[in-house]
């Protein structure tokens, strides 16, 4: 039996439904970010930078692109004979087939994988957060406290605390109580969904709660450990951390990369973010192009204007086109004379000529107001926008659209078009 001090279990199976059409064909951790990366690159890079060389990645929803991106882990130096990265999808067992029904249930279904390494500690991570963290420092804190469980936590504004699991601690940072999304929070210390467990403690809790429907760490495992009087500590983190689970937070996190002094710096030499890189030519900026405060991906051709935007690899911005305050993901085309204001354009989208995107005033969404609630235009991957149409704010488009889909040549603010193959 191979012995590892700490292994990581990375939960990457979520749909990310609050990202709307961006995740209709891809799991949230595989969504592009920052012009070059995918969201899962950040926790994977944190692992290897922290000396954690054994990572199980639990996938479920639309796993194809995620699996292809991770491969055997070469970009992260996780292609190891012993350890490395392993994709762990749900699988059929002798007592029947089980989907992962909750975060802890997914970990429970992979007990055999964890046991094969007989670790001292297990690190539980989410695959859809943007941050840099040295897990070795957190492990040292865990050991110093003689903890059974350590939960990474960070202060949030009190008015936002109701969105999180809230931790109440004593003077030694030992957790004395929990509040799951409280209406009137007693603390503003929010759980980040990052846990270190002593392996024996985790295994005992998972087995004891294995029959609980939708077994979850925040709702079930942590309270179970607390009730048994185990030593649970909060590890306070004060760096940058973003849950890019909504269209607004995803757009903001990308825009923060291009601040004059970025709050989250992709260019630090000592903590690199690794990713699978395609063999593509360098970017090309034409003589007539204008680029201001933007990230431009490799292989991208810019003939128009790009202002305060994040542009992925292999994008073409046509002559006279203007892309402002927007995210355009890899392989997409913005036609000649088109203007984009505050849009998120997914991969392999074809925007025709003289299209106006993000015009007029905001209006509430008529499609899904819980998901679409900002003045951002969201266009799903492989969509097509015909020449000459105008698209209002807070709209969603998915699929190959034609002029007939736009009465009087426009899509009003708050409206949507979902074609075959899109979200029904």
């Amino acid at each position: 039996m191979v012995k590892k001090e700490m292994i990581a279990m990375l939960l990457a199976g979520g749909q990310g439904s609050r990202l709307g059409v961006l995740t209709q064909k891809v799991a949230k951790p595989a969504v592009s970010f920052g012009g070059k990366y995918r969201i899962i690159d950040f926790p994977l890079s944190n692992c290897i930078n922290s000396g954690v060389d054994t990572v199980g990645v639990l996938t479920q929803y639309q796993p194809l692109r995620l699996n292809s991106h991770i491969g055997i882990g070469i970009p992260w130096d996780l292609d190891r004979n012993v350890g490395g990265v392993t994709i762990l999808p749900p699988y059929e067992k002798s007592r029947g087939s089980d989907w992962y029904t909750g975060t802890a249930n997914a970990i429970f279904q992979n007990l055999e994988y964890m046991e094969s390494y007989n670790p001292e500690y297990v690190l539980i991570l989410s695959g859809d957060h943007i941050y840099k963290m040295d897990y070795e420092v957190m492990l040292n804190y865990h050991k110093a406290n003689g903890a059974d469980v350590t939960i990474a936590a960070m202060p949030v504004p009190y008015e936002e605390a109701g969105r999180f699991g809230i931790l109440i601690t004593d003077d030694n940072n030992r957790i004395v109580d929990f509040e799951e999304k409280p209406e009137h929070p007693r603390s503003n210390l929010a759980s980040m969904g990052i846990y270190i467990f002593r392996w024996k403690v985790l295994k005992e809790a998972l087995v004891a709660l294995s029959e609980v429907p939708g077994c979850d760490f925040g709702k079930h495992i942590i309270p179970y450990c607390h009730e048994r009087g185990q030593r649970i500590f909060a590890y306070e983190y004060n760096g940058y951390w973003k849950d890019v689970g909504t269209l607004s937070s995803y757009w903001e996190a990308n825009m923060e990369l291009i601040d004059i002094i970025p709050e989250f710096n992709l260019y630090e030499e000592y903590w690199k973010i690794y990713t699978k890189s395609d063999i593509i030519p360098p970017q090309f900026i034409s003589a007539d192009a204008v680029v201001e405060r933007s990230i431009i991906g490799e292989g991208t051709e810019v003939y128009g204007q790009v202002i305060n935007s994040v542009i992925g690899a292999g994008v073409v911005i046509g002559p006279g086109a203007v892309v402002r305050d927007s995210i355009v993901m890899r392989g997409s085309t913005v036609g000649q004379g088109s203007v984009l204001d505050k849009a998120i354009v997914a991969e392999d989208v074809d925007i025709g000529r003289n299209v106006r995107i993000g015009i007029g005033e905001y209006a509430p969404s008529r499609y899904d107001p819980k998901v679409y609630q900002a003045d951002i235009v969201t266009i799903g991957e492989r969509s097509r926008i015909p020449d000459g149409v105008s698209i209002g704010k807070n709209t969603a488009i998915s699929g190959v659209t034609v002029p007939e889909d736009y009465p009087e040549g426009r899509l009003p603010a708050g409206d949507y078009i979902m074609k075959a193959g899109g979200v029904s």
Side-chain angles (χ1 to χ4, degrees):
M1 184 183 285
V2 178
K3 178 78 174 170
K4 292 279 184 180
E5 183 181 34
M6 183 164 78
I7 65 171
M9 300 294 280
L10 179 50
L11 294 155
Q15 178 181 354
S17 55
R18 289 179 301 155
L19 288 179
V21 294
L22 298 184
T23 52
Q24 72 183 43
K25 295 175 183 172
V26 62
K28 182 163 69 165
V31 170
S32 294
F33 183 85
K36 180 181 177 72
Y37 307 97
R38 297 193 185 275
I39 295 171
I40 198 167
D41 291 336
F42 294 86
L44 279 175
S45 297
N46 288 340
C47 284
I48 202 63
N49 287 332
S50 303
V52 179
D53 65 3
T54 304
V55 185
V57 180
L58 287 75
T59 62
Q60 178 157 286
Y61 173 79
Q62 296 279 25
L64 182 62
R65 193 171 308 164
L66 197 59
N67 296 353
S68 167
H69 179 68
I70 295 170
I72 60 171
I74 291 172
W76 305 273
D77 191 26
L78 287 169
D79 52 327
R80 308 289 180 101
N81 287 332
V82 178
V85 68
T86 305
I87 304 291
L88 300 169
Y91 60 93
E92 191 163 347
K93 306 165 186 68
S94 56
R95 60 185 176 86
S97 182
D98 283 322
W99 289 106
Y100 297 150
T101 59
T103 55
N105 174 265
I107 301 294
F108 169 74
Q109 290 195 44
N110 288 283
L111 273 179
E112 195 175 327
Y113 169 81
M114 293 183 285
E115 282 182 325
S116 69
Y117 292 103
N118 190 26
E120 291 288 328
Y121 308 100
V122 178
L123 170 67
I124 309 291
L125 302 172
S126 174
D128 51 13
H129 298 152
I130 305 296
Y131 67 109
K132 297 175 185 175
M133 181 188 282
D134 191 336
Y135 303 132
E136 189 174 13
V137 175
M138 184 176 170
L139 177 60
N140 290 338
Y141 175 88
H142 178 86
K143 291 176 181 175
N145 284 304
D148 295 307
V149 187
T150 298
I151 304 174
M154 69 184 300
V156 297
Y158 265 96
E159 58 271 20
E160 292 181 25
R163 293 173 40 220
F164 297 93
I166 295 297
L167 313 176
I168 293 97
T169 59
D170 64 15
D171 293 342
N172 298 315
N173 279 342
R174 185 167 177 173
I175 295 169
V176 295
D177 207 356
F178 303 91
E179 298 178 325
E180 185 67 28
K181 299 183 179 176
E183 227 175 291
H184 305 290
R186 290 185 283 151
S187 157
N188 69 331
L189 196 61
S191 168
M192 298 166 65
I194 299 167
Y195 312 100
I196 292 178
F197 283 85
R198 279 201 309 116
W199 165 232
K200 289 177 182 174
V201 169
L202 176 62
K203 182 178 176 181
E204 193 275 326
L206 289 172
V207 171
L209 300 180
S210 60
E211 300 301 321
V212 173
C215 191
D216 181 85
F217 278 98
K219 291 177 188 168
H220 304 110
I221 299 290
I222 301 299
Y224 174 84
C225 292
H226 181 59
E227 285 161 15
R228 292 174 63 82
Q230 285 163 345
R231 294 176 61 80
I232 308 177
F233 283 80
Y235 171 71
E236 192 167 326
Y237 176 74
N238 289 299
Y240 181 96
W241 178 80
K242 198 94 166 187
D243 178 352
V244 288
T246 65
L247 290 170
S248 292
S249 63
Y250 175 80
W251 181 85
E252 286 163 9
N254 274 273
M255 293 299 113
E256 284 167 353
L257 298 175
I258 49 177
D259 284 345
I260 294 171
I261 301 174
E263 197 177 342
F264 187 75
N265 188 351
L266 289 172
Y267 304 98
E268 286 173 332
E269 192 63 32
Y270 70 91
W271 199 270
K272 289 182 179 175
I273 305 300
Y274 301 94
T275 189
K276 178 186 175 188
S277 293
D278 298 319
I279 308 301
I280 47 181
Q283 58 187 222
F284 173 75
I285 313 294
S286 81
D288 299 325
V290 175
V291 177
E292 295 178 14
R293 205 170 77 162
S294 296
I295 288 172
I296 309 292
E298 299 158 300
T300 284
E301 301 171 32
V302 181
Y303 301 94
Q305 296 184 45
V306 179
I307 301 159
N308 202 58
S309 294
V310 175
I311 310 297
V315 171
V316 178
I317 311 291
V322 180
V323 178
R324 189 184 294 111
D325 300 329
S326 295
I327 301 162
V328 182
M329 298 184 200
R330 63 176 63 204
S332 291
T333 301
V334 179
Q336 182 173 340
S338 290
V339 178
L340 278 66
D341 270 304
K342 205 168 181 184
I344 301 175
V345 178
E347 298 183 28
D348 300 314
V349 170
D350 184 8
I351 295 171
R353 298 176 171 221
N354 302 311
V355 174
R356 295 290 181 272
I357 292 177
I359 63 169
E361 298 299 314
Y362 169 87
S365 174
R366 287 185 280 282
Y367 179 57
D368 189 343
K370 287 182 180 174
V371 170
Y372 304 98
Q373 47 181 255
D375 52 0
I376 300 167
V377 177
T378 314
I379 301 174
E381 66 177 60
R382 301 196 195 107
S383 296
R384 189 182 188 295
I385 312 297
D387 296 346
V389 300
S390 297
I391 297 167
K393 296 180 189 296
N394 197 30
T395 47
I397 298 171
S398 177
V400 176
T401 65
V402 294
E404 291 72 28
D405 295 317
Y406 301 82
E408 300 176 4
R410 57 192 287 270
L411 182 69
D415 216 336
Y416 63 94
I417 301 172
M418 298 289 158
K419 298 300 288 277
V423 178
S424 58

